[in-house]
Amino acid sequence: MSELPPEIDTSRPHPARMYDYGIGGKNHFAADREVAEKIFTAWPGGRTSGRENRAFLGRAVRYLAGEAGIRQFLDIGTGLPTTNNVHEVAQQVAPSSRVVYVDNDPLVLAHARALLTSSPEGRTAYIHADLRDPQAILNDPATRDVLDFSQPIALMLVALLHYVPDEWNPAEILATLLGALPSGSYLVASHITGEHDPAVAAFERADRAAGTPAQLRDCSDFARLAFAGLDLLPPGVVPVSEWRPDTAGPLPTPAEVSTYGGVARKE
Ligand SMILES: C[S@@+](CC[C@H](N)C(=O)[O-])C[C@H]1O[C@@H](n2cnc3c(N)ncnc32)[C@H](O)[C@@H]1O
């Protein structure tokens, strides 16, 4: 702990570390575990939700790097390095894949080295920045150095938009980011919802009480916010576990998952 940068306040919970705790990672502190446990007590599906979301992220990247031929990824709200980071999944399929990671948590920055383990043919970069200033992300020299904006890019906003309440004008943020991408680019997004299980409200309450704004959205609000004007790929906006599942086994229920996801293409 003595090696942590001073701006990391371990006495306050943070979404990246609570999520890391929920999906079985190692980078969290007592304050994160306490709030996460409160959420899981009220919403027992919370752990399933995080794991299913992470699996969705992996399937979406595999599809994009494979069938869709995408070689560039802008992953905002990266989270703490864990298994199946975007560059690992993409470079398994296409070693020349390039990834720019962005997060606003200083702890993610402290662990960013683990995200910079690119294959020799590809490249990765990490930017400490906030989604609320999309222009700063787009103009960052690391973004411009690693990504070629004349070629398609996959923008990843996975389990991020529920931290952007309407008062922050997320539609404008999305318009700025998507406006910078060339035709043939993609958006991957997922979002927690209270539509199938009222207990999910515990997530919103606990986060807000911990000083992190959060907002649940239903399927149509999320779809309108994230994917308006884009071509949604089949099967559309669905519980993340139902987005092109790669196992034959039974899927968790929409109430357990309580997270919608989708992938869309910009024409
Ligand atoms: C639930 S985690 C998702 C991690 C990863 N995208 C995934 O789906 O597995 C959300 C991440 O978004 C980051 N985050 C939240 N608000 C943010 C903001 N305004 N700007 C940048 N990152 C943000 C948090 O620090 C956290 O790492």
Side-chain angles (χ1 to χ4, degrees):
M1 280 217 202
S2 55
E3 290 164 18
L4 287 175
E7 66 272 23
I8 297 174
D9 181 357
T10 59
S11 68
R12 292 189 51 205
H14 191 284
R17 299 167 229 159
M18 290 194 278
Y19 178 73
D20 183 68
Y21 176 63
I23 63 171
K26 294 191 179 72
N27 297 303
H28 38 75
F29 301 96
D32 308 307
R33 292 189 284 274
E34 195 181 309
V35 177
E37 280 301 339
K38 262 190 209 151
I39 296 174
F40 298 148
T41 302
W43 171 33
R47 281 178 207 274
T48 305
S49 173
R51 290 182 178 148
E52 289 295 325
N53 175 71
R54 191 75 194 172
F56 159 73
L57 181 147
R59 294 195 301 280
V61 172
R62 218 167 293 126
Y63 163 78
L64 290 171
E67 263 174 81
I70 291 291
R71 295 290 175 268
Q72 310 192 92
F73 297 81
L74 176 56
D75 180 32
I76 307 181
T78 297
L80 285 153
T82 178
T83 49
N84 291 333
N85 299 303
V86 171
H87 75 282
E88 292 162 347
V89 178
Q91 291 181 351
Q92 263 168 24
V93 181
S96 62
S97 299
R98 297 169 167 235
V99 182
V100 171
Y101 290 112
V102 183
D103 206 288
N104 70 348
D105 181 356
L107 189 66
V108 180
L109 175 65
H111 287 275
R113 213 173 306 125
L115 298 168
L116 304 177
T117 56
S118 176
S119 66
E121 302 92 328
R123 278 186 76 187
T124 61
Y126 181 82
I127 305 174
H128 181 68
D130 199 294
L131 175 69
R132 281 172 287 172
D133 190 355
Q135 210 57 61
I137 295 172
L138 294 170
N139 294 342
D140 193 287
T143 308
R144 293 287 155 180
D145 191 31
V146 172
L147 303 180
D148 171 359
F149 280 74
S150 71
Q151 296 298 316
I153 294 171
L155 171 65
M156 317 274 308
L157 305 177
V158 183
L160 175 62
L161 292 172
H162 44 249
Y163 295 115
V164 188
D166 287 344
E167 55 267 33
W168 291 358
N169 206 347
E172 199 177 303
I173 295 172
L174 267 154
T176 303
L177 290 169
L178 289 168
L181 305 183
S183 142
S185 293
Y186 286 83
L187 171 65
V188 181
S190 67
H191 199 294
I192 294 189
T193 185
E195 213 174 313
H196 305 285
D197 182 357
V200 182
F203 161 82
E204 194 180 40
R205 269 198 313 274
D207 271 280
R208 283 188 182 259
T212 308
Q215 180 175 337
L216 303 178
R217 292 186 176 92
D218 64 18
C219 187
S220 56
D221 284 346
F222 165 53
R224 199 176 319 111
L225 169 62
F227 300 117
L230 302 176
D231 285 346
L232 259 174
L233 269 49
V237 178
V238 291
V240 283
S241 45
E242 292 172 28
W243 197 90
R244 306 188 181 197
D246 53 11
T247 53
L251 299 175
T253 64
E256 283 169 317
V257 176
S258 289
T259 302
Y260 281 115
V263 178
R265 187 171 187 275
K266 178 177 173 179
E267 283 308 315

